[in-house]
Amino acid sequence: MAKGLLVTYALWAVGGPAGLHHLYLGRDSHALLWMLTLGGGGLGWLWEFWKLPSFVAQANRTQGQRQISGGRTPPLSLIRFVAQMTVGIYFGLVALISLSFMANFYIVGLPLAVGLGVLLVAAVGNQTSDFKNTLGAAFLTSPLFYGRPIAILPISLAASITAQKHRRYKASVGSKTLSVRLYRLGLAYLAFTGPLAYSAVCNTAATLSYVAETLGSFLSWFSFFPLLAPLMESVLLLPYRVWRLLVGDPGFSSGYLQQWEKLYEFVSSFQDEKRQLAYQVLSLSEGATNEEIHQRYWELVKIWHPDHNLHWTEEAQRHFLEIQAAYEVLSQPRKPRGSWR
């Protein structure tokens, strides 16, 4: 049955952020992407207003089977590459919040989550990419940045480059019934949201700490790049701006910005708590200079290095790791409170 443009626009208006119009057009990967990102943060949903006629035309051309020109490679798309990078980072952050308690998370869980995010974007529309090579690039990159949240960035970059290199058109497949498609989408949605919901409900305090630490680390990545700092602020305020564009309620804006301020204050307070603990571990007073921190670090390293404490190996190892973690926290530049404004 031919797909109607009016029906598509109606579904886009009613359930666009949930991907209902993509489900209607048989674009299941795109529908899942919109379900997990709420229409690309609202921005992708609005941008699609002009793309819907081409989506409908493509769906009517396929009608059960995808028409593929054998041997041809899809054209390179910068928008798809950026989307792969962004969704890969997004999937990695969600995994970092909900699954970082797992053993070998940085070897298995993190690269798998980032790679699946990249592959999801690669499978949007009539294109796809090589599953093994993309995940292989993610798993090979992960050990190089083991134990660091910043690993999300290089893993996503490597997986996105590999996905673009192995891009191809989807093979001809028979159409599936709506029940089978909904079943698959439901499983994928539960696989993404299940761990996050479990962490939020059953381990709320730890989840809030993970969220604060992850968001704080994510923001600190860009503190060294003045040009990227305003961009990240714009991204964080995007939901507010989309809502303001659609609703236009001036009374809502102040309250919403207050909520963002509370979030930033929560992240800042959590980072302050880490710094206070780090000062205690190094037996330093707050406000110690970089020279004092560096000198105290080396003094404690000489005392607690495991090679110098062969009779108390376990205790020395524990103190040694605490000292290293404390020094790493205090070595990071402290961003002034309120600088996000």
Side-chain angles (χ1 to χ4, degrees):
M1 182 181 297
K3 305 300 181 181
L5 183 59
L6 292 179
V7 176
T8 303
Y9 270 109
L11 292 174
W12 172 87
V14 174
L20 291 183
H21 56 300
H22 289 301
L23 184 63
Y24 168 70
L25 297 175
R27 301 167 60 91
D28 291 354
S29 297
H30 211 158
L32 179 61
L33 178 62
W34 258 212
M35 290 166 60
L36 299 180
T37 63
L38 291 180
L43 184 63
W45 169 58
L46 294 175
W47 179 74
E48 278 188 335
F49 181 84
W50 313 104
K51 303 288 292 183
L52 291 183
S54 63
F55 291 163
V56 174
Q58 184 183 41
N60 288 330
R61 281 196 304 268
T62 57
Q63 282 299 312
Q65 286 192 346
R66 304 185 184 273
Q67 303 297 325
I68 304 299
S69 300
R72 288 203 306 120
T73 300
L76 185 65
S77 173
L78 179 61
I79 295 179
R80 187 181 290 263
F81 176 77
V82 173
Q84 288 172 344
M85 279 284 300
T86 304
V87 175
I89 293 173
Y90 169 61
F91 272 47
L93 290 174
V94 172
L96 195 64
I97 293 171
S98 59
L99 299 174
S100 57
F101 63 88
M102 294 174 52
N104 300 320
F105 167 76
Y106 285 95
I107 296 295
V108 180
L110 184 60
L112 179 62
V114 175
L116 290 177
V118 171
L119 284 170
L120 178 59
V121 178
V124 167
N126 61 350
Q127 297 184 27
T128 187
S129 188
D130 188 82
F131 185 84
K132 293 182 178 179
N133 284 311
T134 303
L135 286 185
F139 278 100
L140 289 176
T141 307
S142 180
L144 301 178
F145 302 87
Y146 180 81
R148 303 177 183 176
I150 198 174
I152 296 174
L153 287 177
I155 294 174
S156 183
L157 178 61
S160 299
I161 293 175
T162 305
Q164 285 290 316
K165 181 180 179 181
H166 295 277
R167 66 189 185 279
R168 64 174 187 271
Y169 288 108
K170 291 179 179 177
S172 300
V173 294
S175 59
K176 302 293 184 181
T177 62
L178 180 60
S179 59
V180 172
R181 293 166 55 202
L182 291 176
Y183 175 73
R184 292 178 176 178
L185 287 174
L187 288 181
Y189 185 81
L190 288 176
F192 181 88
T193 59
L196 190 61
Y198 174 81
S199 298
V201 173
C202 299
N203 201 3
T204 306
T207 302
L208 289 175
S209 298
Y210 285 140
V211 171
E213 185 174 7
T214 301
L215 183 55
S217 300
F218 183 72
L219 293 175
S220 67
W221 296 342
F222 299 92
S223 60
F224 302 101
F225 305 97
L227 295 179
L228 288 179
L231 176 61
M232 292 312 303
E233 180 179 334
S234 299
V235 171
L236 288 173
L237 293 177
L238 182 60
Y240 156 71
R241 288 170 177 165
V242 172
W243 180 267
R244 181 71 180 273
L245 177 64
L246 296 177
V247 179
D249 183 8
F252 174 81
S253 60
S254 60
Y256 195 78
L257 286 176
Q258 288 175 4
Q259 295 302 319
W260 276 105
E261 184 174 359
K262 290 179 181 178
L263 176 60
Y264 274 91
E265 291 296 329
F266 174 69
V267 174
S268 299
S269 64
F270 185 79
Q271 298 299 320
D272 291 343
E273 184 179 346
K274 287 178 60 178
R275 294 183 69 89
Q276 291 175 5
L277 182 60
Y279 282 121
Q280 294 177 10
V281 171
L282 298 183
S283 299
L284 291 171
S285 60
E286 293 188 28
T289 63
N290 292 334
E291 291 76 11
E292 293 173 341
I293 295 173
H294 186 74
Q295 180 180 358
R296 184 57 179 168
Y297 167 72
W298 282 111
E299 291 176 355
L300 293 176
V301 164
K302 292 178 182 179
I303 295 175
W304 291 105
H305 197 285
D307 293 343
H308 302 161
N309 298 271
L310 299 179
H311 299 289
W312 301 280
T313 305
E314 293 184 1
E315 183 179 358
Q317 181 73 14
R318 179 174 60 83
H319 283 287
F320 184 71
L321 293 176
E322 289 179 352
I323 294 167
Q324 283 187 320
Y327 180 71
E328 182 178 352
V329 170
L330 295 180
S331 298
Q332 296 176 355
R334 186 172 185 176
K335 195 171 183 181
R337 184 182 297 270
S339 62
W340 65 274
R341 296 179 185 84

